[in-house]
């Protein structure tokens, strides 16, 4: 029997976990990916054990947290803050919508317990969060964004399960869909005289992905 693909593995994990699964980790480690050292991303508890809800699908790849050895955990910068783990921040609009917003469904429930949002970068250059500030505003997100550039340990990390991603996961989980619908229906609701909203896509070039 052949080894299941990364998509199969991610689908299995998502099927086995609750759509609204959240793990709160004390003294959590966040390890960003590094192309230079071939270091993979990981989110771990104080003992170095991987956090299951941090499994991340991004750009047709699946990132599985790994065990973090005692050596890797030693000497890591410590941040006294509490954060919501949000996965990768993608400057590309399609990936930003489909993956960078994927854990914000838990924001409302935990916003009074956090100091900010933690994102991993997709490139060496730090993204400009102001580019999509209007989207964050519409979603009611008011906390600052922290980009993790090197391994970091923080006092508390809230890790929601990813709510939407590439492939079979593109339709999203119910909590994510409800969150997006609730927020955007407030600014995109039809008038009393209208029954439907029509979205014109003539100006949108339907290249690979083609996500509306």
């Amino acid at each position: 029997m052949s080894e299941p693909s990364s998509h199969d593995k991610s689908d299995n994990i998502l099927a086995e976990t609750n759509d609204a699964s959240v793990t709160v980790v004390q003294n959590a480690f966040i390890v960003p990916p590094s192309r230079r050292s071939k270091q993979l991303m990981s989110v771990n508890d104080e003992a170095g054990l991987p956090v299951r809800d941090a499994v991340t699908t991004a750009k047709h790849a699946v990132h599985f947290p790994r065990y973090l050895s005692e050596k890797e955990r030693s000497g890591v910068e410590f941040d006294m803050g509490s954060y919501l783990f949000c996965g990768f921040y993608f400057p590309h609009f399609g990936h930003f919508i489909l993956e960078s917003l994927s854990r914000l469904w838990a924001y409302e429930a935990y916003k009074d317990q956090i100091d900010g949002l933690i994102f991993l970068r997709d490139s060496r250059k730090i993204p400009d969060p102001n580019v999509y500030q209007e989207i964050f505003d519409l979603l009611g997100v008011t906390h600052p964004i922290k980009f993790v550039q090197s391994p970091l340990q923080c006092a508390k990390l809230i890790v929601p399960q990813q709510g939407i991603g590439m492939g079979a996961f593109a339709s999203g989980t119910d909590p994510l869909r409800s969150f997006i619908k609730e927020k955007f229906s407030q600014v995109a609701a039809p008038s009393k005289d209208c029954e439907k909203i029509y979205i014109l896509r003539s100006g949108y070039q339907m290249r690979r992905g083609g996500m509306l």
Side-chain angles (χ1 to χ4, degrees):
M1 182 178 295
S2 61
E3 176 73 11
S5 69
S6 60
H7 278 304
D8 293 334
K9 291 178 181 179
S10 63
D11 289 344
N12 288 339
I13 285 180
L14 294 169
E16 293 170 4
T17 54
N18 189 300
D19 283 348
S21 179
V22 177
T23 302
V24 179
V25 188
Q26 305 295 332
N27 299 318
F29 289 92
I30 306 102
V31 180
S34 172
R35 292 184 177 91
R36 176 177 297 180
S37 64
K38 295 183 180 180
Q39 172 181 281
L40 302 177
M41 68 81 70
S42 193
V43 177
N44 304 75
D45 66 15
E46 190 173 12
L49 298 177
V51 177
R52 183 181 178 86
D53 279 332
V55 172
T56 300
T57 65
K59 290 187 174 181
H60 298 290
V62 184
H63 303 264
F64 293 92
R66 56 187 176 80
Y67 173 71
L68 210 61
S69 68
E70 185 176 355
K71 181 179 179 180
E72 291 176 293
R73 302 195 308 272
S74 63
V76 173
E77 176 188 354
F78 188 83
D79 187 316
M80 291 295 295
S82 299
Y83 298 93
L84 181 74
F85 177 72
C86 296
F88 285 93
Y89 189 104
F90 291 108
H92 181 281
F93 179 72
H95 287 286
F96 174 82
I97 292 294
L98 204 59
E99 292 158 332
S100 297
L101 301 180
S102 64
R103 300 177 192 266
L104 291 181
W105 61 268
Y107 178 77
E108 290 288 336
Y110 293 94
K111 64 182 180 181
D112 294 333
Q113 302 179 34
I114 61 174
D115 301 305
L117 312 179
I118 274 187
F119 278 97
L120 304 174
R121 296 185 300 167
D122 179 47
S123 63
R124 296 178 182 177
K125 184 179 179 181
I126 298 178
D128 180 5
N130 293 321
V131 172
Y132 297 127
Q133 187 58 51
E134 184 176 358
I135 294 177
F136 284 117
D137 291 342
L138 292 173
L139 292 176
V141 176
T142 59
H143 284 75
I145 291 174
K146 180 181 181 69
F147 294 105
V148 175
Q149 305 177 58
S150 57
L152 178 74
Q153 185 179 24
C154 64
K156 184 168 76 172
L157 187 68
I158 296 168
V159 186
Q161 181 189 4
Q162 186 170 346
I164 192 170
M166 299 294 288
F169 199 30
S171 60
T173 61
D174 287 340
L176 185 282
R177 293 169 66 88
S178 296
F179 171 71
I180 295 295
K181 182 178 180 180
E182 176 189 355
K183 295 299 181 181
F184 284 115
S185 64
Q186 299 174 19
V187 295
S191 67
K192 294 180 180 179
D193 297 329
C194 299
E195 295 181 355
K196 298 180 179 180
I197 295 178
Y198 291 90
I199 301 176
L200 185 67
R201 295 190 291 180
S202 60
Y204 181 74
Q205 299 178 21
M206 295 294 287
R207 297 187 294 275
R208 182 171 64 86
M211 196 283 295
L212 173 62

